[in-house]
Every structure is written in structure tokens, then in C-alpha cells.
Amino acid sequence: MEVILVPAFADNYIYVLRDAASGKVGVVDPGDASPVQAELERRGWTLTHIFLTHHHNDHIGGVAELKARHRATVIGARADAHRIPDLDVALGDGDRTVFGEQTARVIAVPGHTSGHIAFWFEAAETLFSGDTLFSLGCGRLFEGTPAQMWESLQALRSLTDSTRIYCGHEYTQSNGRFALTVDPDNSALQQRMEEVAALRERNQPTIPTTIGLERRTNPFLRADDPGVQSAIGLSGAPAVEVFTELRHRKDHFRG
């Protein structure tokens, strides 16, 4: 499955997908129709599927125009059916949806929003995590609780290490600056930040990342790690308490 990054707004990523075997073309979280349509025209592709992780406008703002233009099928969360216009296929946790020769499993990941879902294409080892799991970070808790988000992140970190993560925003460098404040002795994190700095200097994306890399370097996946717990003065505390403190610190971080 081919995945093409389409930048939008200040730091969003929209993803155009193509299943080579069938020729089906999809898009994930098209907050803006214009750059998606430009990419489709450049490649001579017709859109067939629209995948939505959550209801925020920077992820769904282009849906109506793209659906009207291509008659594409809109796929999203059953829990958000009342907040996603033009929804054709409503899915919940554990449901599967077919995209050409590919099949995606839906994973419910509430926290950033109450109805947030992720799409995991198991055979392609590809995850579209929206604003739940970021490279070196996680989404703000606008509608969910820390316990919900921690459970959601545990579900995602249990996927295969080689799973590629395509998230909703280019936040890696700022997330990494925070991560170093709560995980300062992590040599893998230090090395990764050097690589991230080099990529951003060339204005290149830091996405995709992988589950394996995030498990080693993302503090929000490591709330049950003794090193992270010790660094923030919560050794032996329940993981959800540690996660809550990490999220609180990140919300007020100005580095």
C-alpha cells in the first residue's frame, strides 16, 4: 500500500493511499480538500475511500467537497456519527473495513476526543493514529480522561514494532524537547532528536515513525517505565498517575 504525505495548514498531515492491486485510492483525515485534489490530479487518480479518525475540523473540513466530487465512501467512528457529516460507514472497536486488497482493523482510542478511532492495516503494518499517538507525544485530552488515553496508548503500543505510524501533525521536534525533560538519560531519545533536527533543517517530515521506535523514546508510552517514573519523582506510582503528570507537564511546557 502506497502512502503519500500531503501537508496542510501549518502542521497537519493528510495521507493519500493507493492499493496497487486494485487501484483503489483513499485519503485519511482530509481537513482541506484543495491539496488532496491537487495530488490526485497530479497522479491521475480518482478517490474511492475517505477514512476519518475523529471529528475535528482540521481533519474533516474537506470531506464534503471530496465526497461530492468523487462519490467516495466516507468511513468513520460510529460514536461520532452525529458529528461527522456525510458519514457512509460507521465503525466501532474491532470492526474491519476493506480497502481494495487491504483490510484495516478499527481500534477505539478515546482520549483526545471521546469517539476517536485509529485504522491499523495489519498486512501492510501501517497505522493511522490521528491525534492520539504522535511521534514522541500524544494528543491533548479535550474530551477524554487520562485513564482513557493511557488505555488507548497501551492498545497502540501493543502492535508490532515494525508498524509504521502516520499521525495527524508534524509535532516531533517540539514533542522531543519536552521528552528530554522527563527522560533525560534515554540515549535512544537523544540520538533520535539529533536525527529529527537534521530532517527539519532540510524541511523534511519526521513521519512515519514506528511502534518500536516510539516504545523506546516516547515518554507517553513509557508511564510504567521505572526510569521515567524516577525522573519525575513518581517511582512506583500507578502508570495512570504517571501518565497524568506527564500530560499535565506537557500541557504547560513552553520549551
Side-chain angles (χ1 to χ4, degrees):
M1 187 172 69
E2 186 175 0
V3 181
I4 300 157
L5 280 69
V6 179
F9 308 121
D11 51 35
N12 278 69
Y13 284 135
I14 301 168
Y15 300 104
V16 173
L17 325 177
R18 184 174 183 272
D19 173 52
S22 65
K24 298 293 186 182
V25 177
V27 65
V28 180
D29 288 351
D32 186 356
S34 296
V36 176
Q37 185 59 35
E39 188 69 30
L40 294 172
E41 290 177 0
R42 188 172 74 84
R43 296 173 179 272
W45 292 350
T46 298
L47 189 66
T48 59
H49 294 70
I50 300 173
F51 298 94
L52 305 175
T53 64
H54 64 296
H55 71 89
H56 286 162
N57 195 59
D58 63 326
H59 291 252
I60 70 169
V63 170
E65 180 178 338
L66 290 170
K67 179 177 180 176
R69 188 162 191 158
H70 297 275
R71 298 183 181 179
T73 300
V74 179
I75 303 159
R78 184 178 301 114
D80 266 347
H82 61 297
R83 302 194 287 191
I84 298 178
D86 302 304
L87 187 64
D88 296 308
V89 179
L91 302 173
D93 187 53
D95 288 343
R96 297 179 184 273
T97 186
V98 174
F99 172 62
E101 298 297 312
Q102 306 287 333
T103 299
R105 176 162 69 88
V106 172
I107 305 172
V109 285
H112 180 65
T113 66
S114 58
H116 203 303
I117 59 175
F119 295 95
W120 184 41
F121 289 85
E122 184 173 2
E125 290 193 301
T126 299
L127 173 73
F128 296 98
S129 60
D131 288 358
T132 295
L133 175 61
F134 291 127
S135 174
L136 291 177
C138 74
R140 286 180 178 267
L141 306 183
F142 289 124
E143 297 176 6
T145 66
Q148 284 178 314
M149 181 62 101
W150 173 237
E151 184 175 351
S152 295
L153 293 174
Q154 288 181 89
L156 297 183
R157 78 172 182 179
S158 70
L159 302 178
T160 57
D161 277 0
S162 53
T163 293
R164 292 178 298 277
I165 303 166
Y166 293 92
C167 56
H169 295 267
E170 179 58 72
Y171 289 164
T172 308
Q173 197 160 35
S174 59
N175 283 343
R177 286 194 287 267
F178 169 76
L180 286 169
T181 70
V182 295
D183 199 9
D185 299 325
N186 187 332
S187 59
L189 173 59
Q190 294 165 8
Q191 178 182 342
R192 185 174 179 196
M193 283 303 290
E194 293 177 4
E195 296 167 355
V196 166
L199 287 169
R200 297 311 292 158
E201 281 181 11
R202 300 193 297 271
N203 200 32
Q204 293 182 356
T206 62
I207 307 304
T209 178
T210 67
I211 291 292
L213 185 56
E214 293 305 308
R215 289 179 67 176
R216 295 191 298 275
T217 58
N218 187 333
F220 292 100
L221 294 187
R222 302 176 62 236
D224 50 2
D225 181 274
V228 173
Q229 293 180 348
S230 175
I232 65 171
L234 288 174
S235 293
V240 69
E241 181 181 335
V242 177
F243 173 81
T244 302
E245 176 63 19
L246 289 171
R247 188 62 256 177
H248 174 77
R249 292 190 184 194
K250 180 64 169 65
D251 289 343
H252 296 85
F253 181 67
R254 295 295 180 267

